[in-house]
Amino acid sequence: MRRIEDASALRESIERAGLRECFSGDIAAISCLMEFEPGDFLIREGEPSAYLYFLVEGKIKFHGTSVTGRRVTYGYSLSCGALGEVASLWG
């Protein structure tokens, strides 16, 4: 994972995803643009998150562990909806 230090790219991503309309304040002032590689974890099962994520490009897989210990895929997302909203509330 790496942070992209480009204010113009951040604002463009916010506009493209339609996120500005979802917030009453300047979302760019409290946001950062991150790039993740395949296999990177945003949030680990059972752990709180200090962040609320919005997927603005690419896709993400949601998976966890079943009661028998097997890895279970819950689904995939290509949209720009919020990710980690529950985990950010635990922190």
Side-chain angles (χ1 to χ4, degrees), residues 14 17-25 27 54 80:
I14 289 170
L19 295 175
R20 194 167 51 107
E21 292 79 30
C22 299
F23 298 90
S24 59
I27 186 72
F54 290 91
C80 62

Side-chain angles (χ1 to χ4, degrees), residues 21-71:
E21 292 79 30
C22 299
F23 298 90
S24 59
D26 179 16
I27 186 72
I30 59 170
S31 300
C32 66
L33 194 57
M34 303 291 290
E35 180 177 56
F36 295 86
E37 296 294 325
D40 284 349
F41 284 88
L42 296 181
I43 305 165
R44 293 191 183 272
E45 185 176 16
E47 294 181 5
S49 174
Y51 305 100
L52 176 62
Y53 297 94
F54 290 91
L55 180 64
V56 295
E57 186 177 301
K59 63 182 176 180
I60 191 166
K61 177 170 73 172
F62 302 95
H63 59 85
T65 307
S66 72
V67 293
T68 61
R70 295 185 61 184
R71 179 180 251 174

Side-chain angles (χ1 to χ4, degrees), residues 60-91:
I60 191 166
K61 177 170 73 172
F62 302 95
H63 59 85
T65 307
S66 72
V67 293
T68 61
R70 295 185 61 184
R71 179 180 251 174
V72 178
T73 299
Y74 298 125
Y76 299 86
S77 179
L78 298 173
S79 70
C80 62
L83 307 168
E85 64 276 16
V86 174
S88 66
L89 293 173
W90 293 335

Side-chain angles (χ1 to χ4, degrees), residues 1-12:
M1 138 178 69
R2 75 177 181 95
R3 185 178 182 136
I4 300 171
E5 299 290 347
D6 184 337
S8 176
L10 173 62
R11 291 197 180 278
E12 180 183 313

